Structures are given as structure tokens and as C-alpha cells.
Amino acid sequence: MTRIVVLTGAGISAESGVPTFRGADGLWEGHRVEDVATPEAYERDPDTVLSFYDARRRALGAVAPNAAHRALARLEGAIGEDLLVVTQNVDDLHERAGSRHLVHMHGELRRALCDACGARPAWDGDLIDRPPCPECGERMLRPDVVWFGEMPYELERIENAVVACDEFVSIGTSGAVYPAAGYVALAAAFGARTVELNLEPRDTLLLFEDAVPFDEARAGRATELVPAWVDEVIAARSTRT
Ligand code: OAD
């Protein structure tokens, strides 16, 4: 059976109303990403960083999964654990659409991380008022999101899936942030077919030297491209069985 790894980025949630990171103005909700997404920014000005992520977490209540998230959940329903979705997104739209075989490599807005004991409790409220950790009681909870300079989650599991997959599909990500940006080259080196679904396919001239172009690049909106691609995968499977 074909094993598929799908890497998603902010572009898959854009049509749900979640802003991407590298939009035309280069700002993320009025902030430079580096000013709210580094351990140094948190050390320098924790209130700004906590209230920024509190606002992002609250905003999740006003958005819903779109046809692209739902299509990936449908694909999981059809092929089960032969599909692994690796998302760089910290929103919870994949799981709300029904995906379960999913890795949040950059963490989750709806989770806190305790700087005292390392617990990662599910978290829906704000963090600005320094609530106590449900595990240890210390008031040192921060958003459970991976900041620049920090190690993403579950890298070994992801790399094992990438080297073992037959098809690697990148959806709505600019390929600007490593290690995620390197997975296409890794998948290709191990023989996978590679596909990009993006509003604007990457300009191959701008690719980093160690990256490889995708075997196939489709340009368009995720809500159109992803359901169509999922239909093709499911149809190809049923003709083979
Ligand atoms: P970016 O904002 O860098 O890129 C979003 C991509 O989505 C771009 O390539 C757009 O062309 C594409 N896009 C936008 N709207 C789309 C649509 N409707 N359909 C399809 N594609 C669309 O976001 P990411 O690549 O996810 O990391 O950013 C990667 C990481 O950088 C984030 O996870 C975050 C950030 O800094 C951390 O916080 C560690």
C-alpha cells in the first residue's frame, strides 16, 4: 500500500481565516514573527508574548476547518495509518476536521507548557494572568508553541515516516523554516514522489541549494486543490484493489 506523508503549513488554514506568517506585509497580526516567536522575546517582554498567543488562542473559537482539512480527514478515513499528516500549524483545525494520525511539530495553541515541570496540559483559557500549572502548581506556564531556536516536536517519528513514504505532499507552506522545509529533499532522496499544492508554487530558482524541486506542483487554493487530490488518491487505490 502507498504510504503518504502530508506536510501542511499556514496556507491550509488561510481560507478558514487564520492569517499566514509571511503575507504581503511581512507581519503576523501586526508583529514581526521574530518579536513574538523567540525565547528571547519572551524573556524580554513576557506580557506581550503571552497576550499575543492568548489572542491567537481565543481567535480559534471564531474559525472552523475548511474543505482542505476535511479532505485530509476523509483520506485518513480511507487509508488509515498509511497517511501521516505533519502540520507546522499551531491551530487545531486538522483535529476538528477529524484527523487523528497527526503530528503538531511546532506545538499547539490549545496546550500550555510548564517551564517548571515540563507538563503540557490541554489549555483553553488565557495565560497572561499566570495561572498555576495543573501538575505542579507553579505559575510558569507558557504557550506550548515551538519558537525560533527551539527544537520542534517528534522529529524522529516524522523523519522515519518521511524516509519510508511513497508520496510526500506539501500543502500551503512557504518552505522557509527548517527542518520542515528539508523534508521534500529527504523524501525524494529515499525515492518518494513529491507534490506541492500551494497558492503560488515555489520558484525553483529561489530554492535552497540542498532542496529539490517537487516532481509536480499544482497552483491554486487549498480548498480546491486538496479535495481534488484526495479524490485522485482514493480513486487510484480503489482501482488497484
Ligand atoms: P507561511 O506564511 O510562511 O507560508 C504560507 C504559504 O501558504 C505560502 O507559501 C502561501 O503561498 C501559501 N498559501 C496562502 N494561502 C493559501 C491558500 N488559500 N491555499 C494554498 N496555499 C496558500 O507559513 P508556513 O510555511 O506555515 O513556525 O510557515 C512555517 C513556519 O514559520 C510556521 O510554522 C511558524 C513560522 O514561523 C514557528 O512558529 C516555529
Side-chain angles (χ1 to χ4, degrees):
M1 275 300 180
T2 315
R3 281 158 301 177
I4 303 173
V5 173
V6 167
L7 174 70
T8 67
I12 198 168
S13 296
E15 291 165 78
S16 290
V18 181
T20 61
F21 295 93
R22 296 177 181 78
D25 55 7
L27 296 178
W28 184 28
E29 300 279 288
H31 296 262
R32 293 192 315 154
V33 175
E34 303 77 28
D35 290 342
V36 286
T38 63
E40 293 75 24
Y42 182 55
E43 206 162 296
R44 197 169 52 238
D45 186 359
D47 279 5
T48 295
V49 174
L50 289 175
S51 55
F52 178 78
Y53 285 98
D54 283 350
R56 303 277 71 69
R57 193 179 308 102
R58 271 187 252 123
L60 290 184
V63 298
N66 63 46
H69 300 103
R70 287 196 297 275
L72 292 179
R74 183 161 57 88
L75 183 57
E76 184 180 318
I79 73 172
E81 299 208 344
D82 285 343
L83 171 69
L84 177 66
V85 175
V86 176
T87 188
Q88 299 166 85
N89 298 343
V90 294
D91 66 53
D92 60 350
L93 296 179
H94 281 301
E95 44 271 63
R96 277 157 67 189
S99 287
R100 294 293 170 263
H101 204 221
L102 171 72
V103 180
H104 275 280
M105 65 179 295
H106 290 164
E108 297 169 63
L109 274 173
R110 284 196 159 140
R111 217 170 261 292
L113 170 65
C114 179
D115 268 336
C117 75
R120 298 174 63 202
W123 202 266
D124 256 338
D126 287 349
L127 292 172
I128 185 75
D129 295 329
R130 313 302 198 273
C133 170
E135 294 287 327
C136 72
E138 294 290 339
R139 295 178 180 275
M140 294 178 71
L141 293 174
R142 55 164 270 190
D144 187 19
V145 297
V146 174
W147 288 326
F148 284 96
E150 295 182 326
M151 188 68 89
Y153 287 117
E154 300 199 62
L155 292 184
E156 201 180 326
R157 178 181 175 201
I158 297 168
E159 282 165 16
N160 287 340
V162 169
V163 301
C165 76
D166 304 294
E167 187 159 346
F168 176 87
V169 182
S170 169
I171 303 173
T173 174
S174 62
V177 174
Y178 280 79
Y183 290 149
V184 57
L186 185 63
F190 280 81
R193 194 177 118 74
T194 58
V195 179
E196 177 173 57
L197 310 179
N198 196 304
L199 204 54
E200 302 159 0
R202 248 172 262 181
D203 183 342
T204 49
L205 295 174
L206 296 177
L207 284 170
F208 292 92
E209 269 174 24
D210 61 343
V212 293
F214 289 88
D215 291 321
E216 184 188 350
R218 299 184 188 178
R221 298 188 312 181
T223 53
E224 287 163 11
L225 295 183
V226 182
W229 171 73
V230 165
D231 287 345
E232 287 169 27
V233 173
I234 292 175
R237 282 222 165 195
S238 53
T239 54
R240 268 203 303 271
T241 50

